[in-house]
Every structure is written in C-alpha cells, then in structure tokens.
Amino acid sequence: MLSKEEFINNAKVGKILARKCTKCGHLHLVTTYFCQNCGNKGFENVTIDGKGTIVTYTIITVPPDGFEKYVPYAWAVMKVDNSELSISGFMGGIKSPADLPLGTKVRVAGYDERGIILEKQ
Ligand SMILES: [Zn+2]
C-alpha cells in the first residue's frame, strides 16, 4: 500500500514515492491493483528524485479561502525526469507566463497545506 502520509514524508525531503510494477517497471503514483501498462498485480515502493520540467500550469488570481496570502501563485504540472509520471503542485511568485516558461526545471521542495511545493531548480 502507498499511504498518503508516506507520500507526504517523502515530498518533504524532495522525493516522490511511487509504486513500481515488478514485471514491466511502469510507475504509478497511486495504489492500483493492476499495472496500467501490463496488468501485472505485483508492485514495490520506490522513491525517485522529485525533479522534472513544467509542462503546463494555471496562474491563480482568485484563490480559494485561506490562500489569499499566497497570491500570486501557479498550480503547475511537472513531468518527472526519467519517467512518465506527472505531479501537480504549488509554485509561489508566479504573476504571468513570463515568470514560468514551459520546460522550466523544477523540483519538489516540500509539502504543507498548499500541497506539493515546487521550486525552480
Ligand atoms: Zn507492468
């Protein structure tokens, strides 16, 4: 099983905890019963480096309740290096697309009430 708490503890130290298929090596971010690639039922936990590139994002100008203090920020999707995994997270200080070109190298920098925190490498 892949618990949320374990995932968060890894994110706090810049790592991503994933489930790796023991047959084909396909990585999954959530607990699944069958590999999405080959249908195998065996998995092992692996921790991978929380580094990657920005593939898309949304700049938040109207934040949800309690997030006013974080504006401006972006909710960004990072493609993890050397895998097909994508994770989404919070990036502070993003006012316009000029602040965050697609392809920017980022890394997991922590986890708190904002979710996964991403930072430029
Ligand atoms: Zn597989």
Side-chain angles (χ1 to χ4, degrees):
M1 288 292 288
L2 189 56
S3 77
K4 174 119 179 151
E5 194 187 347
E6 280 181 283
F7 183 85
I8 290 171
N9 286 338
N10 275 277
K12 282 179 175 169
V13 294
K15 301 281 183 187
I16 296 166
L17 181 64
R19 296 281 283 164
K20 183 182 183 182
C21 172
T22 53
K23 195 171 168 188
C24 75
H26 192 77
L27 294 171
H28 305 72
L29 270 183
V30 292
T31 296
T32 55
Y33 293 99
F34 298 96
C35 173
Q36 288 164 11
N37 186 50
C38 74
N40 178 40
K41 283 191 268 189
F43 296 95
E44 58 186 2
N45 283 355
V46 291
T47 52
I48 53 181
D49 246 3
K51 290 180 176 172
T53 53
I54 293 294
V55 290
T56 186
Y57 58 91
T58 303
I59 294 173
I60 309 294
T61 50
V62 183
D65 236 17
F67 277 64
E68 296 87 350
K69 62 189 172 203
Y70 296 124
V71 169
Y73 67 91
W75 192 249
V77 178
M78 171 182 94
K79 185 195 165 294
V80 181
D81 285 347
N82 307 314
S83 83
E84 290 165 29
L85 291 181
S86 292
I87 63 165
S88 31
F90 173 100
M91 278 202 73
I94 308 299
K95 293 187 287 290
S96 76
D99 294 327
L100 190 63
L102 294 183
T104 298
K105 296 275 184 197
V106 294
R107 64 183 182 91
V108 174
Y111 192 105
D112 62 18
E113 62 169 355
R114 293 166 283 177
I116 294 171
I117 312 293
L118 299 175
E119 263 180 18
K120 289 178 187 174
Q121 285 184 33

